[in-house]
Amino acid sequence: MNKYQSIAKWVLAIVGILTVFGVWKLQELRFDYEFEDYFPKSDTEYAYYNQFREQYGSDNDFVLICLENNAGVFQDSFLKKVDSLAQTLRELEYVESVVSPTQLSYPVKGPFGMIPVKWIHLNEPERLTQDSIRIYESGELIGTVFARDGKSLILALNTKYGLSKVKSDNAVTQINEVMDQFVFDRVRIAGRIFGQRYFVEKMVSELFLFTLISFVIIIVFLILAFRSFWGVVFPLLIVAVSVIWLMAFMIFVGKSFDLMSTLLPTIMFVVGMSDAVHFISRYLEELRKSPDQLKALKIAFHHIGKATLLTSLTTAIGFLTLYTSGINPVRDFGLYTAIGVIFALLITYLILPAVLILLPVPKRALVDSKELFWDRIMRNIFRFNITQPKRVIGGSIVILVLSLWAGSRVEVNNYLLEDLAKGDPLRENFEFFEKEYSGARPFDVVISTKDSTSILEYEKVKVLDTLESHLKSEFGIQGFVSLNAIVKAINRANTGGSIDSYEFPESRKKWKKIKSQILKAQKTGKLDMILPEGNHETRISAQVKDYGGKVFKAKYQSIQDTLNPILESAGLHLRFTGMGYLIDKNNETLASGLMWGLVIAFGAVALIMGMIFKSVKMVIITLIPNVVPLLMIGGVMGISGIDLKVSTSIIFTIAFGIAVDDTIHYVSKLKMELDKGRSVIYALKRASISTGKAIVLTSLILISGFFALVFSDFASTFYIGLLVSLTLIFAVISDLFLLPVLIFLFYKK
């Protein structure tokens, strides 16, 4: 005994030193959030998007600053303040350009060439009323620069391309400092760098919040389960050390924390607790048979060790299937969670036996098992299963059919800022831009010639005008940055600046003159963002409302079905691209692709069950109780209108990898009893009473730990918390009722 106690002290000392080193590394913890990380780098659409940005520049490095004036925007003092603000912003280090309504102009042809005419005559207050009439009659700037109600306008700011996280944060700080110098009735800001910083700040706060909540919840359940000081402290010590090791490891390999990584401590707290609870439960059970601590530890280590090794492997495999995703944050989440599960297993079997052998026999082990609450409950459940198997099977079939019906209603869909709760300031700003303006979602189309001819042919440009009309009708676009917008502006300039002449030229003669003017302007480099050198392609760019991925997919298809014949006849090819388009495309492929990860997880579990029982029938029997909860959660999503997207598609893999642990513990105990020569009915009874109790305790901890995530401000975290909790509830019910009945009816030793 002394020999083992000496070894235990050395083990605890080594673990302690490594943990102290891990705590020291935590000071290097970094947070990051980049929208582009959620794009699959090997995807052809992403490769094309990179080519697009090299050619035309970024479509997402903009900041929209909406300035409100309750008395209306066409007030002299307000407009001068807007112009001063724009001038100050242009001087900032990371600002490339600022487009202000006070400086916007349109060309009018004069006797000596084109003359720029200001939309707003800032230095002539008496003309502001006439300026406002002209702006709203033309409609050219309404919904893009000026609000429909006339009470706000937009400064469009472009930041320098490819800013790092640090530089983006500095840019936000500088812009905010400038904004603080000016007073407006209300200011609303939307843009990537502001959204990125806002998300990171929320991630940091939620990381600590949910770690604390999980910690408190686990303490409560450990007190209820073990009712002893050591039964609370040492399981907590194990998961705390596991989290520290994992976070230190991530820091050591240079991994920063993103939105998905903030879930890791919570998941480790609840998942890492499972092995400890099962081990302690079996240890107490053996002590009730014999007070020999060493013997009880050896039996618990031998019997529970094998099961927890298998459950840790299946849980790790479940998370590792996320590595099949082409999206880095999802891949990293799966990889590091799997590593964390292995850390938790290793630390459990380093710390727990070492601590328990140094402590005296706990008083909890002296209580007669017949007096224990959970033992009585498990006996009653087992009695019901054996006496009412038809009710269990019949009820399961009804639930399965209803789940399949409801699950068929689940749709693949997504929105840009759906991760933020309603009422969130950033989301409210985004929704304001959708209500009063055209929106804030980037929209880009590239039209190229199939035979490398010039796109500046009259027939081709006329088709582009038809395309823009369809895009305006289909997507509700108010204004375009495009070749045709330039053509219409030049046509108006050539006809004296009349508002009515902002249209496509009706004759080839007019077009010939406009074409020569375009080619002349192109030599100055002013059209590079619309018409690159060679004239083989052009870009149509705009901001649109966020209708959701499902609606956009239908609209994209509608445009192509309607216009492809016209485009092809003119020798043109259309291709959608841009940040918004990639997000929709990515969500669709990821949601379906992750289902293959679930199939891999099924295969891994089937292999493990086959190794344990060497029976195909037993493989099927044990998989059914784990498939039913997933179908049920699909039904919940269908009834509740929860869409399938990145955040919800990974739930199935996470839940299956965790929930199947209970099945493995149950059948492992069953196999041990059968190997002793017990009958199936007796083996089921022992598995239900002995392992069933640990299953309920660990499931309660898991469910409550994940349920804490529903208090998150991020929709993705909320859904993971809610749906995984529900899946685990369904899984424990399935393991306690359906699994024993299936084995009782269909498994013959």
Side-chain angles (χ1 to χ4, degrees):
M1 188 72 172
N2 291 334
K3 172 187 173 184
Y4 289 106
Q5 290 178 333
S6 178
I7 294 173
K9 292 176 182 177
W10 274 106
V11 168
L12 292 176
I14 294 171
V15 171
I17 292 170
L18 290 174
T19 304
V20 169
F21 173 74
V23 172
W24 176 74
K25 288 291 289 184
L26 291 183
Q27 64 183 330
E28 301 174 23
L29 190 65
R30 294 182 295 108
F31 294 86
D32 198 3
Y33 183 83
E34 178 58 62
F35 291 109
E36 290 185 26
D37 289 342
Y38 286 82
F39 298 143
K41 301 299 184 283
S42 59
D43 186 71
T44 54
E45 292 291 349
Y46 182 73
Y48 180 76
Y49 175 61
N50 281 331
Q51 295 175 12
F52 166 82
R53 290 194 301 183
E54 289 178 8
Q55 180 69 68
Y56 297 101
S58 174
D59 66 326
N60 201 36
D61 285 330
F62 65 86
V63 175
L64 300 180
I65 302 176
C66 178
L67 306 172
E68 296 186 39
N69 195 48
N70 295 333
V73 296
F74 293 97
Q75 304 290 320
D76 180 45
S77 59
F78 171 77
L79 291 172
K80 286 181 177 177
K81 190 159 51 175
V82 169
D83 191 62
S84 178
L85 171 62
Q87 294 286 358
T88 307
L89 289 171
R90 287 189 187 98
E91 297 172 3
L92 295 182
E93 180 182 1
Y94 301 109
V95 172
E96 190 74 34
S97 63
V98 178
V99 177
S100 171
T102 57
Q103 297 298 322
L104 284 177
S105 61
Y106 59 92
V108 175
K109 189 173 183 181
F112 302 105
M114 292 293 182
I115 301 172
V117 177
K118 292 285 183 67
W119 284 101
I120 294 176
H121 294 82
L122 192 62
N123 297 320
E124 301 176 64
E126 66 279 2
R127 299 183 62 178
L128 289 180
T129 301
Q130 189 60 39
D131 289 342
S132 67
I133 294 172
R134 186 174 69 257
I135 288 170
Y136 275 84
E137 280 184 354
S138 74
E140 187 179 338
L141 305 179
I142 307 305
T144 54
V145 179
F146 295 95
R148 297 180 182 90
D149 63 3
K151 293 185 177 181
S152 65
L153 51 75
I154 285 179
L155 290 181
L157 181 153
N158 274 0
T159 58
K160 292 181 179 179
Y161 177 68
L163 293 181
S164 65
K165 172 67 172 57
V166 173
K167 290 181 178 179
S168 292
D169 287 345
N170 289 339
V172 170
T173 300
Q174 291 176 6
I175 293 171
N176 284 334
E177 288 174 350
V178 169
M179 298 305 301
D180 290 340
Q181 300 172 23
F182 295 83
V183 179
F184 295 95
D185 288 342
R186 184 158 185 177
V187 176
R188 301 177 190 268
I189 301 179
R192 181 185 66 83
I193 60 173
F194 279 84
Q196 177 177 277
R197 178 166 171 172
Y198 186 78
F199 269 66
V200 170
E201 289 173 350
K202 272 197 167 295
M203 283 191 298
V204 174
S205 63
E206 292 208 346
L207 172 64
F208 294 105
L209 172 64
F210 292 123
T211 301
L212 178 61
I213 292 176
S214 300
F215 190 78
V216 171
I217 289 174
I218 289 172
I219 289 176
V220 172
F221 275 97
L222 287 175
I223 291 173
L224 293 175
F226 296 108
R227 301 179 187 177
S228 64
F229 175 79
W230 65 268
V232 174
V233 171
F234 295 116
L236 279 177
L237 178 64
I238 288 169
V239 292
V241 172
S242 300
V243 171
I244 291 170
W245 280 29
L246 176 59
M247 295 176 71
F249 176 78
M250 293 174 65
I251 295 169
F252 184 76
V253 298
K255 167 64 179 168
S256 58
F257 273 63
D258 53 35
L259 180 58
M260 301 201 69
S261 300
T262 57
L263 298 174
L264 287 176
T266 300
I267 291 177
M268 289 307 304
F269 262 107
V270 295
V271 174
M273 189 62 62
S274 178
D275 293 342
V277 170
H278 277 284
F279 188 94
I280 293 173
S281 296
R282 185 54 186 267
Y283 173 65
L284 292 174
E285 183 181 335
E286 293 302 323
L287 283 177
R288 292 187 183 104
K289 298 176 184 178
S290 168
D292 187 337
Q293 276 185 288
L294 188 57
K295 180 182 178 182
L297 281 172
K298 286 182 177 180
I299 294 173
F301 193 93
H302 174 68
H303 289 175
I304 298 301
K306 187 185 297 183
T308 50
L309 175 61
L310 292 175
T311 57
S312 295
L313 285 176
T314 53
T315 302
I317 290 171
F319 283 108
L320 278 175
T321 56
L322 297 177
Y323 208 74
T324 59
S325 165
I327 297 178
N328 284 340
V330 176
R331 288 163 61 96
D332 290 345
F333 174 73
L335 173 63
Y336 290 110
T337 309
I339 292 172
V341 170
I342 301 303
F343 277 167
L345 176 69
L346 177 64
I347 293 167
T348 297
Y349 286 98
L350 285 174
I351 291 181
L352 258 187
V355 167
L356 293 176
I357 203 169
L358 294 173
L359 291 174
V361 174
K363 294 179 181 179
R364 189 69 178 163
L366 304 177
V367 180
D368 188 345
S369 63
K370 292 181 180 179
E371 298 177 10
L372 296 174
F373 170 78
W374 287 113
D375 288 70
R376 295 197 304 272
I377 295 294
M378 293 303 112
R379 285 191 179 90
N380 291 334
I381 291 175
F382 176 73
R383 190 178 298 114
F384 176 82
N385 289 336
I386 299 305
T387 57
Q388 305 291 336
K390 291 183 180 179
R391 288 191 179 184
V392 175
I393 296 295
S396 300
I397 292 173
V398 171
I399 291 172
L400 183 61
V401 172
L402 290 175
S403 298
L404 288 170
W405 169 78
S408 64
R409 301 170 60 184
V410 176
E411 297 179 336
V412 177
N413 199 13
N414 63 283
Y415 294 86
L416 286 188
L417 289 186
E418 63 186 348
D419 233 3
L420 298 177
K422 289 185 178 180
D424 184 275
L426 186 64
R427 180 166 175 169
E428 281 189 340
N429 284 351
F430 191 84
E431 290 172 346
F432 176 83
F433 283 107
E434 299 222 317
K435 179 183 177 183
E436 295 296 333
Y437 294 88
S438 297
R441 172 186 164 123
F443 178 88
D444 278 279
V445 184
V446 174
I447 303 92
S448 57
T449 58
K450 289 187 174 182
D451 51 4
S452 296
T453 56
S454 173
I455 204 166
L456 295 176
E457 295 177 5
Y458 183 72
E459 292 78 7
K460 290 181 171 61
V461 182
K462 194 171 184 178
V463 169
L464 293 182
D465 187 57
T466 303
L467 170 61
E468 285 194 9
S469 297
H470 277 78
L471 291 175
K472 186 173 183 178
S473 173
E474 195 73 52
F475 294 96
I477 297 173
Q478 296 295 317
F480 296 95
V481 176
S482 66
L483 174 62
N484 266 54
I486 294 171
V487 169
K488 292 176 182 179
I490 294 176
N491 188 58
R492 177 177 57 195
N494 290 341
T495 53
S498 170
I499 291 175
D500 296 335
S501 59
Y502 185 76
E503 60 184 7
F504 189 79
E506 57 191 26
S507 67
R508 291 177 182 271
K509 182 179 179 181
K510 286 185 177 181
W511 164 247
K512 187 175 180 180
K513 185 176 182 180
I514 292 172
K515 180 180 177 180
S516 65
Q517 291 169 305
I518 289 174
L519 292 173
K520 184 178 179 181
Q522 190 180 28
K523 293 178 180 179
T524 65
K526 295 179 180 179
L527 304 184
D528 288 349
M529 295 302 175
I530 297 171
L531 187 65
E533 187 178 348
N535 302 332
H536 304 314
E537 66 178 35
T538 188
R539 166 198 191 184
I540 297 176
S541 182
Q543 262 95 39
V544 298
K545 299 180 188 299
D546 188 13
Y547 299 106
K550 180 187 174 184
V551 173
F552 270 107
K553 182 181 179 182
K555 289 180 179 292
Y556 292 142
Q557 193 61 51
S558 174
I559 288 292
Q560 290 177 328
D561 291 344
T562 304
L563 294 181
N564 269 348
I566 301 173
L567 291 166
E568 288 180 4
S569 64
L572 297 174
H573 174 72
L574 176 149
R575 186 162 185 174
F576 292 103
T577 189
M579 181 73 73
Y581 178 76
L582 271 185
I583 290 173
D584 295 339
K585 195 79 174 176
N586 176 53
N587 185 77
E588 185 181 349
T589 55
L590 178 66
S592 58
L594 285 175
M595 293 299 105
W596 284 108
L598 193 58
V599 172
I600 295 173
F602 281 151
V605 173
L607 181 63
I608 289 172
M609 295 303 178
M611 291 169 57
I612 294 175
F613 283 94
K614 297 179 175 62
S615 166
V616 175
K617 183 186 291 186
M618 198 62 186
V619 168
I620 297 172
I621 288 173
T622 51
L623 277 178
I624 290 173
N626 290 289
V627 173
V628 170
L630 299 183
L631 295 176
M632 290 174 68
I633 209 64
V636 170
M637 291 174 63
I639 293 173
S640 305
I642 300 173
D643 298 322
L644 192 64
K645 61 196 82 173
V646 174
S647 56
T648 54
S649 60
I650 67 173
I651 287 167
F652 295 93
T653 306
I654 294 172
F656 178 77
I658 296 173
V660 77
D661 292 359
D662 293 341
T663 304
I664 293 175
H665 278 291
Y666 190 96
V667 298
S668 295
K669 177 63 175 176
L670 176 74
K671 182 67 165 56
M672 289 178 189
E673 295 297 333
L674 291 175
D675 288 344
K676 295 176 183 178
R678 311 292 192 186
S679 65
V680 173
I681 188 73
Y682 182 85
L684 280 172
K685 180 181 178 181
R686 292 308 310 153
S688 295
I689 295 173
S690 176
T691 308
K693 176 176 57 177
I695 286 174
V696 171
L697 291 176
T698 55
S699 295
L700 286 174
I701 292 172
L702 288 166
I703 291 164
S704 57
F706 275 103
F707 191 75
L709 298 177
V710 302
F711 298 103
S712 172
D713 289 331
F714 290 120
S716 57
T717 307
F718 170 84
Y719 284 126
I720 288 175
L722 175 65
L723 298 179
V724 171
S725 296
L726 288 175
T727 308
L728 294 174
I729 292 172
F730 299 150
V732 72
I733 294 173
S734 185
D735 279 327
L736 292 179
F737 289 90
L738 182 57
L739 178 59
V741 169
L742 289 174
I743 296 173
F744 175 66
L745 293 178
F746 300 106
Y747 179 69
K748 304 300 179 184
K749 185 179 176 184

